[in-house]
Amino acid sequence: MNRTAAPAGRVRLDLLDPLEVSRLGGLEVVTEGVVEGFLTGLHRSPRRGFSVEFAEHRMYQPGDELRYVDWKILGRNDRLYVKQFEEETNLRAVVVCDASRSMAWTGDPAAVLPKLDYARRLIAALSLVLLRQRDATGLITFDDTVRSVIPPSARTGHWHQLLRVLAELEAGQGTAAEPALRRVVGSLRRRGLVVFVSDLLLDRDLALKALRFLRHRGHHVLVLHIMDPSEATLSGPAEARFEDPETREAVILRPRDWASAYGATVEGVVSAWRLACRRNDIGYHRVLTSTPFGSVLRQALALPRRG
Amino acid sequence: MIGFLHPWVLAGLLAAAVPILLHLVARREPPTVVFPAVRYLITTTRENQKRLRLEHWLLLLFRTLLIASLVMAAAGPTIRLSGVPGHSPTALVVMLDNSPSSTVVAGGTSRLSQLKTAARAALERATPSDGLWLLTADGTPRRGDRAALIRLVDSLAPSARRMDLGAALTLAGSVLGTDPRPGELMMITDLQATAVSAATPAAPLVVVRPEDAPPPNLGVAALATGAQPWSTDGGRVVVTVAGDSTRTTPVMVQLDNRPGRQALANAGSAVTVNVPGAPAGWRIATAELDADELKADDRRSAYIRVAPVARVFWDPGDRYVAAACDVLVTSGRLARGNELTLGALGAGFSVVYPPSDPAAVGALNRALARRGVAWHFGAPSDAPVETDSSGLLGRQQVLRRYALESNGSGRTGVLATAGGAPWAVRSGGVVLLGSRLEPEWTGLPLAAGFVPFLDRLLNRVARGELSMVDGVPGEPVALPDLATEVRLGQESWKVEGGDLFRPSAPGAHLILAGTDTIGSLNVGLDPRESALERMGDREIRRLWKGARLVPLADGGGAAFSSRALADGRGPLLWAALVCGLGELFLASIRRRRP
């Protein structure tokens, strides 16, 4: 309870259970609440001031604002220096969202948001944070084809455009990430941030190849691996026929027999993704759909801003 | 071989099928679950399928075996094993070979004592619930309890009778057929090759036999004394030597205790030895070899009748009879005289055949009756018949004959028959023939055997010395009609004429009719007993299917081996425990998995 309460006694939505948060209202309202909570927490953190960065000192010239005078140097050297800050660069970010059929799945509808709903809210929150920092933010959605492309923009009202697309986003069929990631190149002329939100149930080699390509273009790349808790640990009836909603591939087994080995396989997959991303200087986070949004936002926005 | 004390409990083995049924039932089409990460499952199954499948089958195996072991343990399993103390009630026939070959000395002791030790050890394993028989060379199965049969074994003497092992097996099988208990056969024998014949054992068979090679042996297989009676000038005997030794051995032939004559012989050969003359009477001729490891066959004896040849009166008008008698006189087998009348009823011994004039038959019958002869001539018959095979006559054609009819109710004294009716009979000192010795009456005068027939008839039969018979112990011998007693040394057996007599021991026997000696029965060991070579194990297994061969030393332990029971519950309960622990271990591993 203490973690979710703001100093002023307001509830911090970024720390609540995502399903509970989603029940509080529409996408817009909830997302704003989450971001408010997130930013409140962020200001209290040691890393505040991420948007303005100190660059160098220079001699004071008449007309300079006194608030930038460095009083400590004046005290030591009896000279007037002003602190000069690097001009804040507007970041250009593109969020690539997987809207394949597998993303529409949840292992427990009563307790956990479907992966796509979770991604929808996470992206909305992330883009709001970025836009508030006056970073241009775009969105590409895909399933087996590229479904929608919204170029990055920092204009007022852009967030609502993103929200509309996210709200209307429905799960498609298969997953083909590579074309969507290639489309990013067209949206980001200069170095920017690419956030790839997917359950990564796709062709790993092709996706990695596209991500490496983006990284080579100088973009910061962040992979948010959305995973339902029921995908991390195998459970179910005594024996079941497990069917892939996209490929219709099926396998019959007893979850109890295979749970341990399956858990090891999942960990192996996550480790493989993490290792491959690290080797290519790509950020990677596994995001369980039960994880509060604030936690994920903090991880996502802890990236260096200069490339 | 596993048996069960409560076999009905085995119906519970159906329960062992429960895990399998559950396994099969569980293989029904399961519900479908939509699951995006199927690719992870496929990877997982591909990498772990072998291990999990093994676990699965092991679990199934453990559960099935656990149930099966418990059910079988509850059924009271008994396992047939040799060397265990207990066995189920069994009918056991112990065949103990005490034939003459078992008297051979091997390794310092007689083979029979070794066989008896093995038999005793086998019988000592018997329990009161067993049925026990002892079958020896005499061919009589003896039933008894353990103590009685052990006493019987201890007192068992070597038999003079050969034991046909195949026949013994068949007999033992028929003995077992009378007992409801499961049977077992135990043959304790020197396994002499000549004693083995094919048989199908009626029950599990254990053959206990020595492993050391039998010693080489030579024995007297036959002692032929030739035509008798011998004249007082002496005669010749032919000695046949049998055995499996390659050495040459001296053969000593003696008549009573007179100085003997020697000759050299080896296995398979026959030597002729001239024996000097002796006074008239019954003399025992003995052929003897140097002693070797098997003494029983080193000596053989036979009675010889030494007597002057018959002095015969015959009618020179009987052409064929006269010619034959002339031949016999010339060869010294007959002399002219009045001791015996041939062709008519004389004062002394007579050989009478029908007169050529049928009108004279009545007078002849009256004369016979006056002499006290118990037979007379009956109705004539022209129906051709053949004489029945007999030692006196052989098979001869009879064209005409008179029926020989007995004055009393019996048929005592019949020497030969033709067409089933008496043709030659003897009563008192008179021999009656049903046909005249002429070609119109019988083919005998023209046959090659006519002269030997007359020799035998005049020298032996007519004078009351009816039979010179050879025999082997245990084998039946037909006695002459007049025989009343058989005598061997001081032993004697009362018999009835015409009966079969089984001599029990080798030796020269006399056949008596009242106080008259009417023949001899010369009994010697079966010559096959002299070949001691043992039958090979492989051949035994071929001839006696399923036979288990064990050495003498292990003979006792092998008894009841087919019925020896070990309690199988212990191993099964251990197996159940191991299966249970295995199941527990595997199941706990699976349960510990998240």
Side-chain angles (χ1 to χ4, degrees):
Chain A
M1 289 298 286
N2 290 336
R3 286 192 65 209
T4 59
R10 291 179 58 190
V11 174
R12 281 189 56 189
L13 298 186
D14 62 319
L15 299 180
L16 285 182
D17 176 73
L19 185 66
E20 290 178 21
V21 171
S22 69
R23 286 170 181 159
L24 293 177
L27 185 60
E28 182 180 343
V29 174
V30 166
T31 306
E32 282 181 337
V34 168
V35 169
E36 286 300 327
F38 168 67
L39 291 178
T40 305
L42 200 62
H43 288 157
R44 293 189 306 156
S45 77
R47 297 191 62 184
R48 60 180 165 164
F50 60 86
S51 60
V52 180
E53 296 180 48
F54 172 76
E56 60 184 346
H57 289 96
R58 67 171 171 79
M59 292 296 288
Y60 174 77
Q61 290 177 354
D64 284 342
E65 286 188 27
L66 286 178
R67 63 173 176 158
Y68 293 122
V69 172
D70 193 329
W71 299 107
K72 289 181 181 173
I73 292 177
L74 180 65
R76 281 202 301 271
N77 301 335
D78 201 23
R79 289 180 183 175
L80 280 172
Y81 280 90
V82 292
K83 287 187 279 189
Q84 200 168 36
F85 293 88
E86 191 173 87
E87 182 184 344
E88 185 179 347
T89 303
N90 280 338
L91 183 71
R92 295 180 68 81
V94 174
V95 179
V96 181
C97 177
D98 179 359
S100 62
R101 181 168 291 275
S102 64
M103 286 290 285
W105 187 81
T106 175
D108 184 0
V112 180
L113 280 174
K115 288 183 280 187
L116 186 58
D117 288 348
Y118 186 88
R120 215 192 308 261
R121 284 161 178 76
L122 180 63
I123 293 168
L126 181 64
S127 58
L128 181 57
V129 172
L130 290 170
L131 285 169
R132 283 196 177 176
Q133 293 174 177
R134 306 191 63 76
D135 293 332
T137 305
L139 175 65
I140 297 175
T141 62
F142 71 94
D143 48 18
D144 48 358
T145 57
V146 176
R147 296 263 300 276
S148 63
V149 177
I150 300 175
S153 170
R155 283 178 298 152
T156 311
H158 183 63
W159 186 63
H160 290 97
Q161 187 186 352
L162 293 178
L163 282 188
R164 268 198 304 281
V165 172
L166 286 171
E168 290 165 5
L169 186 61
E170 286 187 357
Q173 288 300 317
T175 313
E178 200 229 357
L181 291 170
R182 296 276 179 192
R183 289 290 291 271
V184 173
V185 178
S187 299
L188 292 177
R189 299 287 179 196
R190 54 194 177 101
R191 289 186 227 177
L193 172 66
V194 179
V195 181
F196 182 46
V197 180
S198 169
D199 57 7
L200 298 183
L201 297 173
L202 39 68
D203 187 325
R204 181 166 159 265
D205 292 338
L206 273 179
L208 266 177
K209 189 177 170 187
L211 291 170
R212 268 200 301 268
F213 172 70
L214 290 174
R215 187 69 193 97
H216 290 160
R217 299 274 298 192
H219 301 299
H220 287 294
V221 180
L222 173 64
V223 176
L224 296 180
H225 184 173
I226 308 297
M227 185 178 281
D228 191 282
S230 298
E231 285 178 322
T233 54
L234 186 63
S235 59
E239 187 173 48
R241 178 177 178 276
F242 291 89
E243 184 182 277
D244 189 325
E246 293 181 17
T247 63
R248 296 296 170 196
E249 256 186 313
V251 59
I252 297 174
L253 47 77
R254 295 165 174 269
R256 211 177 81 172
D257 293 348
W258 294 89
S260 170
Y262 174 81
T265 302
V266 171
E267 286 309 312
V269 168
V270 170
S271 298
W273 271 105
R274 184 174 287 128
L275 184 64
C277 289
R278 187 181 298 156
R279 280 180 182 159
N280 293 289
D281 199 19
I282 296 170
Y284 171 86
H285 293 291
R286 175 166 61 159
V287 179
L288 291 177
T289 51
S290 56
T291 312
F293 295 116
S295 165
V296 185
L297 287 175
R298 250 189 303 281
Q299 289 174 334
L301 296 172
L303 280 171
R305 304 302 303 272
R306 289 178 294 186
Chain B
M1 295 285 284
I2 297 178
F4 293 94
L5 298 176
H6 315 293
W8 56 271
V9 178
L10 290 177
L13 276 178
L14 292 174
V18 169
I20 299 170
L21 287 175
L22 285 177
H23 178 77
L24 293 175
V25 168
R27 292 179 76 89
R28 288 178 310 182
E29 186 64 25
T32 297
V33 173
V34 175
F35 190 68
V38 163
R39 64 181 63 203
Y40 300 159
L41 286 176
I42 291 171
T43 305
T44 306
T45 53
R46 198 170 49 230
E47 290 173 354
N48 297 276
Q49 190 128 30
K50 279 185 184 170
R51 181 179 57 80
L52 277 167
R53 185 174 290 171
L54 180 66
E55 270 184 29
H56 228 86
W57 281 112
L58 274 177
L59 259 183
L60 183 66
L61 183 71
F62 279 142
R63 288 168 181 169
T64 306
L65 284 180
L66 175 66
I67 295 172
S69 303
L70 289 174
V71 170
M72 288 174 73
T78 52
I79 304 165
R80 284 173 194 159
L81 289 174
S82 58
V84 299
H87 60 266
S88 61
T90 304
L92 174 71
V93 180
V94 177
M95 288 158 279
L96 180 54
D97 181 1
N98 62 336
S99 62
S101 64
S102 71
T103 59
V104 70
V105 175
T109 57
S110 88
R111 184 70 83 201
L112 182 58
S113 68
Q114 298 168 12
L115 301 182
K116 284 163 71 174
T117 303
R120 196 181 304 114
L123 289 169
E124 277 169 355
R125 292 171 57 83
T127 64
S129 56
D130 294 321
L132 298 174
W133 285 265
L134 180 67
L135 180 60
T136 57
D138 65 9
T140 305
R142 292 178 179 83
R143 184 170 189 168
D145 61 13
R146 183 175 68 174
L149 290 191
I150 287 175
R151 279 197 302 275
L152 209 57
V153 166
D154 287 341
S155 62
L156 190 68
S159 170
R161 294 181 60 174
R162 173 176 178 267
M163 188 170 183
D164 184 318
L165 301 181
L169 272 179
T170 305
L171 177 60
S174 62
V175 167
L176 286 181
T178 63
D179 196 290
R181 284 169 284 210
E184 183 175 306
L185 300 170
M186 176 171 256
M187 172 83 77
I188 303 173
T189 173
D190 57 4
L191 212 54
Q192 194 182 16
T194 55
V196 175
S197 58
T200 303
L205 169 64
V206 178
V207 179
V208 183
R209 46 83 175 104
E211 285 190 309
D212 55 327
N217 178 59
L218 287 175
V220 181
L223 174 61
T225 53
Q228 294 185 40
W230 284 9
S231 70
T232 50
D233 297 333
R236 289 187 299 184
V237 296
V238 180
V239 181
T240 305
V241 176
D244 45 24
S245 172
T246 55
R247 68 187 167 90
T248 301
T249 183
V251 181
M252 169 69 79
V253 177
Q254 277 185 295
L255 206 59
D256 291 336
N257 294 321
R258 296 162 189 279
R261 293 288 179 88
Q262 240 182 12
L264 290 175
N266 47 28
S269 69
V271 291
T272 303
V273 179
N274 290 315
V275 179
W282 289 95
R283 307 291 170 202
I284 291 182
T286 305
E288 191 167 5
L289 308 181
D290 282 355
D292 54 17
E293 282 77 1
L294 180 61
K295 291 187 174 56
D297 65 348
D298 291 342
R299 179 187 168 97
R300 187 178 285 255
S301 56
Y303 266 113
I304 293 174
R305 174 65 176 159
V306 180
V309 295
R311 294 185 303 280
V312 181
F313 170 80
W314 66 87
D315 181 2
D318 285 349
R319 178 181 162 201
Y320 293 94
V321 168
C325 287
D326 286 341
V327 171
L328 289 170
V329 168
T330 304
S331 63
R333 297 292 304 159
L334 212 63
R336 294 177 186 277
N338 294 319
E339 180 195 3
L340 193 153
T341 304
L342 176 58
L345 184 63
F349 295 118
S350 301
V351 175
V352 180
Y353 41 75
S356 53
D357 180 4
V361 170
L364 178 58
N365 280 340
R366 286 192 290 277
L368 288 171
R370 280 197 298 275
R371 277 282 294 268
V373 175
W375 294 83
H376 65 270
F377 291 99
S381 170
D382 291 336
V385 290
E386 280 197 339
T387 57
D388 301 310
S389 180
S390 74
L392 173 68
L393 195 56
R395 191 170 290 278
Q396 302 294 340
Q397 194 177 32
V398 176
L399 302 172
R400 294 174 62 190
R401 63 192 164 104
Y402 277 88
L404 296 179
E405 294 172 351
S406 172
N407 296 337
S409 57
R411 284 159 52 98
T412 308
V414 175
L415 302 174
T417 56
W423 185 81
V425 298
R426 186 177 190 279
S427 179
V430 178
V431 173
L432 300 185
L433 299 181
S435 305
R436 290 180 65 80
L437 297 177
E438 292 173 2
E440 294 79 23
W441 290 72
T442 169
L444 185 59
L446 302 180
F450 186 52
V451 174
F453 164 73
L454 276 184
D455 182 6
R456 205 173 306 129
L457 180 70
L458 299 173
N459 278 314
R460 286 165 48 185
V461 178
R463 296 202 292 181
E465 296 144 12
L466 283 172
S467 183
M468 305 295 282
V469 184
D470 289 331
V472 293
E475 296 299 319
V477 176
L479 292 174
D481 274 358
L482 297 176
T484 57
E485 184 182 347
V486 175
R487 187 179 293 167
L488 173 65
Q490 299 303 314
E491 272 190 287
S492 69
W493 296 268
K494 295 293 179 193
V495 295
E496 283 197 16
D499 277 359
L500 292 176
F501 177 72
R502 288 177 189 271
S504 59
H509 298 61
L510 288 175
I511 305 170
L512 291 91
T515 55
D516 293 338
T517 301
I518 59 171
S520 72
L521 170 59
N522 299 315
V523 180
L525 293 184
D526 191 308
R528 288 173 289 186
E529 288 294 307
S530 296
L532 299 179
E533 185 191 0
R534 189 160 57 241
M535 183 71 90
D537 290 355
R538 182 184 294 179
E539 191 66 9
I540 286 297
R541 291 193 184 96
R542 188 183 67 79
L543 290 172
W544 301 338
K545 298 286 182 204
R548 179 178 159 223
L549 287 105
V550 297
L552 272 178
D554 302 336
F560 303 102
S561 58
S562 69
R563 304 290 162 195
L565 296 180
D567 189 347
R569 281 175 298 189
L572 280 172
L573 287 175
W574 274 110
L577 182 64
V578 169
C579 290
L581 289 174
E583 200 274 348
L584 201 63
F585 176 70
L586 271 181
S588 65
I589 285 178
R590 289 156 66 93
R591 268 195 291 274
R592 274 205 299 274
R593 287 181 190 144

mmCIF file of all heavy atoms in Angstrom, chain A residues 18 22 41 66 81 135 139-140 158 182 194 228 272 279 305:
data_model
loop_
_atom_site.group_PDB
_atom_site.id
_atom_site.type_symbol
_atom_site.label_atom_id
_atom_site.label_comp_id
_atom_site.label_asym_id
_atom_site.label_seq_id
_atom_site.Cartn_x
_atom_site.Cartn_y
_atom_site.Cartn_z
ATOM 1 N N PRO A 18 -1.792 -3.933 -13.531
ATOM 2 C CA PRO A 18 -2.271 -3.432 -14.821
ATOM 3 C C PRO A 18 -3.751 -3.684 -15.053
ATOM 4 O O PRO A 18 -4.447 -2.846 -15.617
ATOM 5 C CB PRO A 18 -1.418 -4.208 -15.823
ATOM 6 C CG PRO A 18 -0.188 -4.546 -15.084
ATOM 7 C CD PRO A 18 -0.594 -4.762 -13.669
ATOM 8 N N SER A 22 -6.515 -0.898 -15.694
ATOM 9 C CA SER A 22 -7.319 -0.840 -16.926
ATOM 10 C C SER A 22 -8.793 -0.703 -16.623
ATOM 11 O O SER A 22 -9.559 -0.251 -17.461
ATOM 12 C CB SER A 22 -7.059 -2.086 -17.754
ATOM 13 O OG SER A 22 -7.617 -3.206 -17.091
ATOM 14 N N GLY A 41 6.926 10.021 -9.277
ATOM 15 C CA GLY A 41 7.978 9.164 -8.728
ATOM 16 C C GLY A 41 9.331 9.514 -9.310
ATOM 17 O O GLY A 41 10.349 9.516 -8.621
ATOM 18 N N LEU A 66 20.753 35.637 -14.392
ATOM 19 C CA LEU A 66 21.520 35.460 -13.173
ATOM 20 C C LEU A 66 21.369 34.044 -12.600
ATOM 21 O O LEU A 66 22.227 33.547 -11.893
ATOM 22 C CB LEU A 66 21.056 36.492 -12.118
ATOM 23 C CG LEU A 66 21.528 37.923 -12.380
ATOM 24 C CD1 LEU A 66 20.995 38.854 -11.324
ATOM 25 C CD2 LEU A 66 23.047 38.008 -12.375
ATOM 26 N N TYR A 81 31.024 33.208 -13.760
ATOM 27 C CA TYR A 81 30.842 32.188 -14.832
ATOM 28 C C TYR A 81 29.373 31.775 -14.841
ATOM 29 O O TYR A 81 28.721 31.774 -13.798
ATOM 30 C CB TYR A 81 31.686 30.945 -14.549
ATOM 31 C CG TYR A 81 33.155 31.109 -14.926
ATOM 32 C CD1 TYR A 81 34.086 31.591 -14.032
ATOM 33 C CD2 TYR A 81 33.582 30.749 -16.221
ATOM 34 C CE1 TYR A 81 35.411 31.741 -14.384
ATOM 35 C CE2 TYR A 81 34.918 30.899 -16.565
ATOM 36 C CZ TYR A 81 35.828 31.372 -15.668
ATOM 37 O OH TYR A 81 37.123 31.517 -16.007
ATOM 38 N N ASP A 135 9.456 14.995 -27.190
ATOM 39 C CA ASP A 135 10.093 14.075 -28.129
ATOM 40 C C ASP A 135 9.055 13.624 -29.147
ATOM 41 O O ASP A 135 7.936 13.261 -28.787
ATOM 42 C CB ASP A 135 10.604 12.817 -27.399
ATOM 43 C CG ASP A 135 11.746 13.144 -26.463
ATOM 44 O OD1 ASP A 135 12.466 14.108 -26.742
ATOM 45 O OD2 ASP A 135 11.913 12.408 -25.459
ATOM 46 N N LEU A 139 4.352 5.576 -34.335
ATOM 47 C CA LEU A 139 3.847 4.241 -34.005
ATOM 48 C C LEU A 139 3.686 3.419 -35.295
ATOM 49 O O LEU A 139 3.155 3.920 -36.286
ATOM 50 C CB LEU A 139 2.486 4.348 -33.304
ATOM 51 C CG LEU A 139 1.771 3.028 -33.010
ATOM 52 C CD1 LEU A 139 2.552 2.184 -31.998
ATOM 53 C CD2 LEU A 139 0.355 3.294 -32.483
ATOM 54 N N ILE A 140 4.175 2.206 -35.256
ATOM 55 C CA ILE A 140 3.964 1.268 -36.367
ATOM 56 C C ILE A 140 3.347 0.006 -35.762
ATOM 57 O O ILE A 140 3.861 -0.519 -34.781
ATOM 58 C CB ILE A 140 5.279 0.921 -37.072
ATOM 59 C CG1 ILE A 140 5.884 2.179 -37.709
ATOM 60 C CG2 ILE A 140 5.067 -0.162 -38.121
ATOM 61 C CD1 ILE A 140 7.242 1.957 -38.326
ATOM 62 N N HIS A 158 -1.010 15.057 -30.981
ATOM 63 C CA HIS A 158 -0.488 13.843 -31.633
ATOM 64 C C HIS A 158 -0.758 12.593 -30.773
ATOM 65 O O HIS A 158 -1.028 11.508 -31.283
ATOM 66 C CB HIS A 158 1.022 14.005 -31.855
ATOM 67 C CG HIS A 158 1.639 12.833 -32.590
ATOM 68 N ND1 HIS A 158 1.283 12.491 -33.886
ATOM 69 C CD2 HIS A 158 2.581 11.926 -32.220
ATOM 70 C CE1 HIS A 158 1.959 11.427 -34.262
ATOM 71 N NE2 HIS A 158 2.783 11.064 -33.249
ATOM 72 N N ARG A 182 11.699 -2.637 -40.779
ATOM 73 C CA ARG A 182 12.321 -1.952 -41.920
ATOM 74 C C ARG A 182 11.640 -0.610 -42.188
ATOM 75 O O ARG A 182 12.267 0.342 -42.619
ATOM 76 C CB ARG A 182 12.209 -2.814 -43.177
ATOM 77 C CG ARG A 182 12.969 -4.136 -43.084
ATOM 78 C CD ARG A 182 14.412 -3.970 -43.447
ATOM 79 N NE ARG A 182 15.112 -5.248 -43.330
ATOM 80 C CZ ARG A 182 16.424 -5.382 -43.368
ATOM 81 N NH1 ARG A 182 17.194 -4.300 -43.497
ATOM 82 N NH2 ARG A 182 16.991 -6.554 -43.250
ATOM 83 N N VAL A 194 13.972 3.321 -31.080
ATOM 84 C CA VAL A 194 13.002 2.351 -31.594
ATOM 85 C C VAL A 194 12.636 1.424 -30.443
ATOM 86 O O VAL A 194 13.500 0.805 -29.831
ATOM 87 C CB VAL A 194 13.599 1.518 -32.749
ATOM 88 C CG1 VAL A 194 12.568 0.509 -33.250
ATOM 89 C CG2 VAL A 194 14.060 2.418 -33.870
ATOM 90 N N ASP A 228 2.875 -13.358 -21.163
ATOM 91 C CA ASP A 228 1.823 -13.660 -20.187
ATOM 92 C C ASP A 228 2.414 -14.592 -19.118
ATOM 93 O O ASP A 228 3.193 -15.487 -19.444
ATOM 94 C CB ASP A 228 0.663 -14.364 -20.897
ATOM 95 C CG ASP A 228 -0.570 -14.468 -20.020
ATOM 96 O OD1 ASP A 228 -0.582 -15.363 -19.140
ATOM 97 O OD2 ASP A 228 -1.497 -13.663 -20.213
ATOM 98 N N ALA A 272 18.473 -16.438 -24.508
ATOM 99 C CA ALA A 272 19.009 -16.304 -25.864
ATOM 100 C C ALA A 272 18.728 -14.914 -26.419
ATOM 101 O O ALA A 272 19.586 -14.281 -27.040
ATOM 102 C CB ALA A 272 18.404 -17.384 -26.755
ATOM 103 N N ARG A 279 24.733 -8.471 -27.175
ATOM 104 C CA ARG A 279 25.836 -8.498 -28.137
ATOM 105 C C ARG A 279 25.688 -7.401 -29.178
ATOM 106 O O ARG A 279 26.661 -6.899 -29.713
ATOM 107 C CB ARG A 279 25.863 -9.850 -28.849
ATOM 108 C CG ARG A 279 26.519 -10.922 -28.016
ATOM 109 C CD ARG A 279 26.532 -12.222 -28.757
ATOM 110 N NE ARG A 279 27.119 -13.283 -27.954
ATOM 111 C CZ ARG A 279 26.923 -14.553 -28.149
ATOM 112 N NH1 ARG A 279 26.116 -14.956 -29.115
ATOM 113 N NH2 ARG A 279 27.514 -15.457 -27.387
ATOM 114 N N ARG A 305 20.343 9.124 -23.694
ATOM 115 C CA ARG A 305 19.601 9.944 -24.658
ATOM 116 C C ARG A 305 20.441 10.336 -25.856
ATOM 117 O O ARG A 305 19.961 10.944 -26.786
ATOM 118 C CB ARG A 305 19.084 11.207 -23.970
ATOM 119 C CG ARG A 305 18.239 10.953 -22.758
ATOM 120 C CD ARG A 305 17.014 10.089 -23.102
ATOM 121 N NE ARG A 305 16.213 10.705 -24.131
ATOM 122 C CZ ARG A 305 15.231 11.589 -23.902
ATOM 123 N NH1 ARG A 305 14.918 11.910 -22.657
ATOM 124 N NH2 ARG A 305 14.547 12.126 -24.878
#
